[in-house]
Amino acid sequence: MAAEALDDAMLDRRVFRQVLVGALRYPPTRLTWVLFRGATRARLKVFCQVGRPPTQLGMSLNGDENDETRWPAPTMTVYTGARASEDPRSYRLSATAGPTETACGVMPGALGLQCRPEHVSVLSAGAALMPGKKTDGDEKTTARWQPSSRTRVEALRCDLALDRAPASWRIRYSAREWPLVFAAPREGAPGIEWAHENSDQVVQEGGYRWMPAPH
């Protein structure tokens, strides 16, 4: 048991989160992915949370999404497997623990990951998405992030193979919200998140942000 625990402790650990909100994303969904990698094996934990929006118009990226009281306790599904190839680095994983049916839909029985290094521009933790405003010409300005400053970060991009996933996953989670992008922790932030709001004509935009540091 001690040898197995030590082996697990040596695995590289990365965290990525998706925060999917908006009037057309009802109810809001938060998926947290924790990837453990070793020389020949990998484990992926997927935490599903379906939130409690403050109004019938859904949740916005105005700080509501950072209120932990709006997110109930998660369900967790665990995938384990082995490295399938080195170049590109890829893994084949199968569900080994956790529920098959969650509030996020029926979890896939198997997942494929194909990973490669990538640089991404990341907003500060908690950056808010401000909808555009109408001008005198009845046109609308584009939405903007506040604060808007970004840092360029080295990350590990892992594309998900969902060809064997239930139809509910392929429909509900569009290609725009994939892939998984894992970055090393920084200044208390466990990793980065993809925050996306789909409120029809009000705002439809997403961006990478640092995850808030745990309290």
Side-chain angles (χ1 to χ4, degrees), residues 106-131:
V106 178
M107 301 298 290
L111 291 174
L113 288 181
Q114 184 169 302
C115 304
R116 67 178 187 272
E118 184 171 280
H119 286 83
V120 292
S121 295
V122 184
L123 295 153
S124 60
L129 184 58
M130 314 299 292

Side-chain angles (χ1 to χ4, degrees), residues 13-166:
R13 177 181 179 273
R14 297 290 180 95
V15 181
F16 177 65
R17 173 177 284 173
Q18 291 152 323
V19 183
L20 313 174
V21 304
L24 298 186
R25 174 71 72 168
Y26 192 96
T29 302
R30 190 165 78 171
L31 287 164
T32 304
W33 307 76
V34 185
L35 176 65
F36 301 84
R37 296 183 301 149
T40 60
R41 66 190 180 96
R43 183 167 68 249
L44 183 68
K45 294 182 178 180
V46 187
F47 297 87
C48 160
Q49 293 171 285
V50 172
R52 305 182 181 97
T55 69
Q56 291 185 346
L57 295 178
M59 190 181 291
S60 298
L61 294 176
N62 59 5
D64 290 335
E65 78 284 4
N66 295 318
D67 183 353
E68 289 297 327
T69 64
R70 300 199 181 279
W71 300 100
T75 57
M76 180 182 72
T77 304
V78 181
Y79 294 85
T80 58
R83 189 178 67 196
S85 68
E86 176 61 29
D87 189 16
R89 180 68 64 91
S90 63
Y91 305 89
R92 292 300 304 173
L93 308 174
S94 299
T96 54
T100 57
E101 295 189 16
T102 72
C104 298
V106 178
M107 301 298 290
L111 291 174
L113 288 181
Q114 184 169 302
C115 304
R116 67 178 187 272
E118 184 171 280
H119 286 83
V120 292
S121 295
V122 184
L123 295 153
S124 60
L129 184 58
M130 314 299 292
K133 298 180 179 180
K134 283 192 175 182
T135 64
D136 293 338
D138 207 30
E139 296 181 353
K140 194 174 184 179
T141 61
T142 58
R144 69 188 191 281
W145 291 96
Q146 185 177 335
S148 61
S149 60
R150 302 173 189 248
T151 55
R152 191 165 174 80
V153 175
E154 291 184 3
L156 182 72
R157 170 186 172 128
C158 293
D159 293 291
L160 272 171
L162 291 173
D163 53 309
R164 296 165 56 189

Side-chain angles (χ1 to χ4, degrees), residues 187-202:
E187 298 178 356
I192 61 176
E193 63 186 9
W194 169 252
H196 186 267
E197 180 177 344
N198 184 355
S199 293
D200 199 14
Q201 297 182 10
V202 177

